[in-house]
């Protein structure tokens, strides 16, 4: 573990060193090739004057509202089509078809419907994550070994109880994978949408960097976006996923 | 022979009615409340063993449906004679305690894309309270199907199943199943698995815990595994937990579907021995399905042999060997050999028939 950490630390130190070295050669102007120190400086001032903090909070607020909505709706639809054959053959096929669409392709539609507005941002997050969540829940439910349901029924479980006590927990690993994929799709499409929208999100800060020819800001915001993506994915979803897989005995 | 409307079950016929003197005659014509059947039933209660009741009845459903069904359930012989819209119903009372389980003319047909599969064809079984019955037969002969029907997880195409005088229409906690494997819930710990059914019944948590501990002890699961997850257990331990999970529901009948088939020989022998002890102590009625004749002989008071295509009862053997039985007991060996020899003849005959059919097809 610590050996791996040393390797990683060394790798990034060398990378940043090379970057700083190249920048010192001044082959390109600074607005094209920034220095690590410049980026760091921008990060520090960005957090000090709170523009980055506001950007992060605004983007997170959008994704949390939209994603929360997706979870509720997606779970409901997914659990339903996983069990009801007619719905599966109709709604299920539609969902599978739409899922093939890269989530960023919802952007024009959302802009036409809602204009450049807060609602459009939410729509993007919802449309970006909803279908992955539906499919995760649907797949999970379909793959629940029938023997679990039968065993529960002989022990007296009926109707809705079968959902809450057996089908949902049995489908949890797949539901979590759907959540995880839905999150990353939503995060990507939100960043893309914010590039166009003057709404103080991280995407907007990125675009502002371009407009001001401030490469330091561009890179600094990109770093923030990457870090948030990794933190959520690694620290939240991967952890939950590992815990669930460990518990369920999935290798 | 009196047939019920759905024609799936038949009541035993009361013979030579003309020569028999009824011990009691009642006239239930015009009775609405109480219902004619209630009058008949009440009168039968007052009769002694083997005595005969003659009821004069003008209510067709009572004569053709209710009374025959009542007699069928109780095992009373019956004769119904019709004369100009009046029915003479003769019923003989037979004293006996209600069997724990009755399977009456049960058939099960599955409709698949390839057509109909008759998994069970006219199965009749009566199992008494406290019996240990083994059902043995080749794979695909409908053993699991029958167990599912008894458990109420599936409905017979024809026929009826009665548990302690109540018609089986769905799952009930008087009948709990132990499956072959993979039926424990991986998202719960061992303890939570055993408590699952009690929790559904809203049993208080301290009582739940005590009961679960008792039964885990009964099946001999080491305490250090009580909070393990299912995938951390060996096959034998899993089946112990599965048995505890079923027993904790206090079922009247324990249904077991090849519970030891996936275990290694040593573990299987241990569990077979322990199951015998559990049975001796708890006086449960057990219906145990297996494809292994030796296992059936070792465990059962009675061994019911199934044949396939379609699934049917082929033969029945009483196993009268003192308990606890050991797998290497000479009598277990002998009984196994007899049954296996019978089965072999049967199988050879079947394959002969099948080959004969094939030849016809090839020509
Ligand atoms: N759900 C089902 N749908 C269609 N056919 C089934 C179904 N369940 C069982 N069968 C068929 O019924 C027959 C008996 O199966 P089963 O009861 O599982 O046999 P056993 O337990 O004795 O091996 C087999 O031919 C099997 O293919
Ligand atoms: Mg089977």
């Amino acid at each position: 573990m610590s050996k791996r950490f040393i390797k990683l630390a060394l790798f990034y130190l060398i990378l940043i060193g090379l970057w700083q070295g190249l920048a010192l050669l001044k082959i390109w102007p600074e607005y094209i090739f920034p220095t690590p120190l410049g980026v760091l400086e921008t990060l520090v001032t960005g957090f000090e004057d709170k523009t980055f903090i506001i950007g992060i909070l605004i983007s997170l607020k959008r994704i949390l509202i939209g994603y929360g909505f997706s979870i509720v709706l997606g779970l409901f639809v997914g659990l339903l089509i996983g069990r009801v054959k007619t719905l599966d053959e109709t709604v299920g096929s539609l969902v599978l078809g739409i899922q093939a669409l890269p989530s960023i392709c919802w952007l024009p539609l959302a802009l036409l419907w809602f204009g450049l507005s807060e609602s459009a941002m939410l729509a993007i997050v919802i449309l970006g994550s909803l279908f992955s969540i539906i499919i995760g829940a649907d797949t999970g439910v379909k793959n629940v070994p029938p023997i679990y349901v039968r065993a529960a029924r002989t022990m007296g479980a009926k109707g809705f109880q079968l959902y809450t006590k057996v089908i949902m927990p049995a489908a949890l690993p797949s539901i979590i994978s759907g959540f995880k994929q839905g999150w990353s799709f939503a995060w990507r499409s939100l960043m893309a949408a914010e590039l166009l929208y003057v709404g103080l999100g991280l995407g907007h800060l990125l675009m502002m960097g371009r407009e001001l020819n401030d490469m330091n800001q561009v890179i600094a915001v990109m770093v923030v976006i990457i870090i948030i993506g990794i933190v959520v994915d690694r620290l939240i979803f991967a952890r939950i996923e590992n815990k669930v897989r460990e518990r369920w005995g999935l290798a | 022979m009196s047939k019920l409307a759905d024609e799936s079950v038949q009541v035993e016929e009361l013979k030579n009615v003309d020569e028999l003197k009824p011990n009691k005659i009642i006239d239930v014509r015009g009775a609405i409340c109480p219902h004619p059947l209630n009058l008949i039933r009440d009168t039968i209660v007052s009769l002694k063993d083997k005595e005969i009741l003659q009821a004069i009845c003008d209510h067709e459903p009572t004569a053709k449906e209710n009374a025959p069904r009542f007699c069928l359930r109780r095992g009373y012989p019956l004769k119904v004679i019709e004369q100009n819209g009046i029915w003479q119903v003769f019923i003989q009372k037979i004293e006996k305690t209600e069997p724990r389980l009755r399977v009456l003319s049960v058939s099960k047909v599955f409709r698949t894309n390839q057509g109909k599969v008759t998994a069970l064809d006219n199965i009749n079984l009566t199992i008494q309270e406290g019996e240990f019955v083994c059902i043995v037969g080749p794979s695909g002969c409908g053993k699991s199907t029958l167990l599912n029907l008894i458990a109420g997880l599936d409905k017979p195409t024809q026929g009826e199943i009665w548990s302690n005088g109540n018609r089986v229409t769905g799952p009930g906690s008087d009948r709990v199943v132990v499956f072959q494997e993979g039926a424990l819930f991986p998202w719960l710990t061992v303890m939570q698995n055993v408590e699952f059914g009690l929790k559904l019944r809203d049993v208080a948590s301290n009582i739940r815990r005590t009961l679960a501990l008792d039964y885990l002890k009964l099946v001999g699961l080491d305490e250090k595994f009580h909070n393990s997850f299912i995938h951390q257990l060996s096959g034998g331990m899993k089946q112990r937990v599965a048995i505890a999970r079923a027993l904790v529901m206090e079922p009247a009948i324990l249904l077991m579907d090849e519970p030891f088939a996936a275990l290694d020989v040593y573990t299987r022998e241990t569990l077979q021995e322990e199951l015998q002890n559990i049975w001796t102590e708890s006086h449960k009625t057990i219906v145990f399905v297996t494809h292994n004749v030796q296992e059936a002989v070792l465990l059962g008071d009675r061994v019911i042999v199934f044949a396939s295509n379609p699934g049917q009862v082929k033969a029945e053997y009483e196993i009268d060997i003192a308990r606890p039985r050991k797998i290497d007991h000479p009598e277990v060996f002998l009984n196994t050999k007899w049954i296996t020899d019978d089965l072999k003849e049967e199988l050879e005959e079947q394959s002969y028939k099948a080959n004969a059919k094939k030849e016809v097809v090839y020509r």
Side-chain angles (χ1 to χ4, degrees):
Chain A
M1 182 66 206
S2 65
K3 204 168 176 187
R4 199 174 139 229
F5 177 79
I6 293 169
K7 252 190 240 170
L8 270 177
L10 265 176
F11 170 72
Y12 283 108
L13 273 177
I14 293 170
L15 197 69
I16 292 171
L18 280 176
W19 176 10
Q20 180 70 36
L22 262 176
L24 284 178
L25 292 179
K26 296 209 189 290
I27 305 171
W28 303 281
E30 186 156 344
Y31 66 87
I32 289 180
F33 199 86
T35 60
L37 280 176
V39 170
L40 191 66
E41 223 169 88
T42 313
L43 272 175
V44 171
T45 46
F47 277 97
E48 264 172 7
D49 68 12
K50 302 210 169 63
T51 46
F52 279 24
I53 294 180
I54 291 170
I56 291 172
L57 288 179
I58 285 179
S59 291
L60 282 182
K61 187 185 112 201
R62 284 178 188 143
I63 202 161
L64 284 179
I65 295 174
Y67 185 68
F69 183 85
S70 271
I71 283 186
V72 175
L73 185 65
L75 264 185
F76 180 76
V77 176
L79 292 176
L80 215 57
I81 61 180
R83 287 291 282 187
V84 185
K85 198 155 180 248
T86 325
L87 284 179
D88 181 38
E89 284 161 356
T90 52
V91 182
S93 74
L94 179 70
V95 169
L96 269 180
I98 294 176
Q99 163 72 5
L101 186 72
S103 50
I104 186 63
C105 298
W106 287 106
L107 188 58
L109 183 143
L111 292 182
L112 280 175
W113 274 2
F114 300 104
L116 264 176
S117 67
E118 201 61 38
S119 317
M121 300 297 116
L122 285 184
I124 285 295
V125 172
I126 292 170
L127 290 167
S129 53
L130 184 63
F131 301 100
S132 300
I133 293 174
I134 293 180
I135 287 172
D138 173 38
T139 318
V141 169
K142 282 211 189 89
N143 290 332
V144 173
I147 200 167
Y148 292 163
V149 175
R150 294 199 292 148
R153 284 178 65 208
T154 77
M155 287 184 284
K158 292 200 221 10
F160 195 61
Q161 274 180 336
L162 286 174
Y163 256 111
T164 54
K165 307 262 183 212
V166 184
I167 294 169
M168 266 170 52
L172 199 58
S174 173
I175 292 177
I176 300 283
S177 304
F179 282 3
K180 187 174 163 202
Q181 197 186 44
W183 170 276
S184 74
F185 283 175
W187 183 242
R188 280 152 218 233
S189 27
L190 176 66
M191 288 305 105
E194 281 181 349
L195 288 179
L196 302 180
Y197 177 52
V198 187
L200 301 175
L202 281 172
H204 173 62
L205 289 180
L206 195 59
M207 210 52 182
M208 241 165 63
R210 189 201 77 97
E211 277 158 12
L212 301 175
N213 272 344
D214 184 352
M215 194 52 141
N216 283 333
Q217 172 151 348
V218 171
I219 301 286
V221 176
M222 278 165 63
V223 168
V224 171
I225 294 174
I226 290 173
I227 287 174
I228 292 179
I230 290 178
V231 163
V232 172
D233 193 75
R234 292 281 102 202
L235 289 191
I236 301 180
F237 286 106
R239 271 203 182 172
I240 299 177
E241 205 171 35
N242 281 341
K243 215 162 213 161
V244 164
R245 293 184 77 80
E246 200 176 292
R247 192 168 195 182
W248 267 238
L250 305 163
Chain B
M1 187 90 29
S2 179
K3 274 197 169 178
L4 292 172
D6 57 10
E7 295 197 335
S8 55
V9 277
Q10 292 186 341
V11 186
E12 193 185 331
E13 185 178 331
L14 182 58
K15 293 192 184 74
N16 306 329
V17 175
D18 305 340
E19 294 159 36
L20 294 171
K21 287 238 161 47
N23 303 75
K24 201 152 201 172
I25 301 179
I26 54 166
D27 188 345
V28 297
R29 277 178 294 181
I32 297 166
C33 185
H35 190 275
L37 183 71
N38 284 354
L39 293 172
I40 293 174
R41 188 170 22 210
D42 290 348
T43 318
I44 284 183
V45 170
S46 67
L47 294 185
K48 297 197 180 67
D49 192 27
K50 302 273 187 327
E51 286 189 335
I52 292 170
L53 168 76
Q54 179 182 0
I56 305 160
C57 173
D58 60 358
H59 186 240
E60 189 174 10
T62 299
K64 288 195 164 166
E65 269 294 324
N66 296 356
R69 214 174 271 283
F70 168 74
C71 292
L72 175 81
R73 243 176 270 165
R74 302 296 178 95
Y76 296 166
L78 164 91
K79 179 79 183 178
V80 181
I81 300 167
E82 191 193 356
Q83 293 167 325
N84 321 321
I86 306 289
W87 288 271
Q88 305 287 339
V89 181
F90 296 89
I91 298 172
Q92 183 175 35
K93 180 170 182 177
I94 305 286
E95 291 256 12
K96 58 178 163 192
T97 54
E98 189 67 52
R100 183 64 254 177
L101 186 75
R102 301 190 116 203
V103 176
L104 299 171
S105 309
V106 161
S107 300
K108 179 71 187 178
V109 178
F110 289 108
R111 282 177 183 77
T112 64
N113 297 337
Q114 284 83 38
K116 286 185 184 177
V117 180
T118 306
L120 293 172
D121 184 34
N122 193 28
I123 305 290
N124 284 288
L125 285 179
T126 303
I127 292 168
Q128 300 298 339
E129 189 73 59
E131 255 193 309
F132 197 141
V133 174
C134 289
I135 295 175
V136 62
S139 92
C141 70
K143 306 181 298 289
S144 298
T145 305
L146 178 64
L147 224 58
N148 283 335
L149 294 179
I150 296 174
L153 292 170
D154 212 343
K155 292 207 161 50
T157 314
Q158 282 201 325
E160 298 178 352
I161 293 169
W162 292 79
S163 168
N164 206 24
N166 300 311
R167 174 117 184 232
V168 169
T169 55
S173 50
D174 54 329
R175 294 154 279 125
V176 178
V177 189
V178 176
F179 295 95
Q180 178 170 342
E181 58 178 342
L184 294 172
F185 302 140
W187 59 92
L188 299 178
T189 62
V190 164
M191 188 63 97
Q192 289 166 333
N193 262 282
V194 178
E195 289 183 18
F196 183 86
L198 299 174
K199 212 168 167 185
L200 289 176
R201 277 193 202 163
D202 286 331
V203 176
S205 67
N206 54 336
I207 300 178
R208 233 164 45 209
R209 183 54 49 99
T210 317
L211 281 172
L213 282 171
D214 286 351
Y215 280 93
L216 283 170
K217 196 169 167 194
L218 179 74
V219 298
L221 189 83
D222 197 313
E223 251 176 62
K224 67 175 182 241
F225 294 110
H226 285 185
N227 294 313
S228 303
F229 286 107
I230 301 308
H231 68 97
Q232 297 168 316
L233 305 182
S234 70
M237 291 196 276
K238 282 182 197 161
Q239 287 314 77
R240 284 174 201 268
V241 177
I243 294 172
R245 187 174 76 165
L247 285 177
V248 81
M249 305 292 292
E250 283 296 349
I253 310 173
L254 188 60
L255 303 168
M256 308 185 84
D257 192 356
E258 311 209 26
F260 307 148
L263 305 180
D264 63 83
V265 182
Y266 172 75
T267 315
R268 187 184 312 153
E269 280 179 21
T270 320
L271 279 175
Q272 284 166 341
E273 236 168 80
E274 288 180 15
L275 181 62
Q276 289 191 66
N277 295 337
I278 290 173
W279 175 74
T280 323
E281 278 170 35
S282 66
H283 302 288
K284 284 259 170 314
T285 309
I286 299 183
V287 181
F288 187 103
V289 160
T290 171
H291 61 252
N292 180 336
V293 178
Q294 191 186 35
E295 184 173 57
V297 169
L298 177 72
L299 296 174
D301 293 326
R302 203 143 54 95
V303 172
I304 295 168
V305 178
F306 266 45
S308 43
N309 294 324
Q312 56 199 288
V313 175
K314 203 68 221 168
E316 202 181 307
Y317 303 84
E318 298 274 339
I319 308 296
D320 197 11
I321 308 173
R323 292 186 194 263
R325 301 170 184 165
K326 294 262 191 235
I327 198 89
D328 49 8
H329 197 296
E331 281 195 79
V332 170
F333 175 77
L334 277 178
N335 277 277
T336 305
K337 186 162 160 31
W338 288 330
I339 297 178
T340 316
D341 288 348
D342 281 5
L343 277 179
K344 262 190 201 142
E345 270 174 38
E346 163 69 26
L347 283 176
E348 271 160 23
E349 216 169 274
Q350 267 190 4
S351 69
Y352 176 77
K353 274 192 216 152
N355 283 335
K357 261 191 211 161
K358 259 186 220 155
E359 268 169 281
V360 174
V361 173
Y362 290 145
R363 267 177 224 148

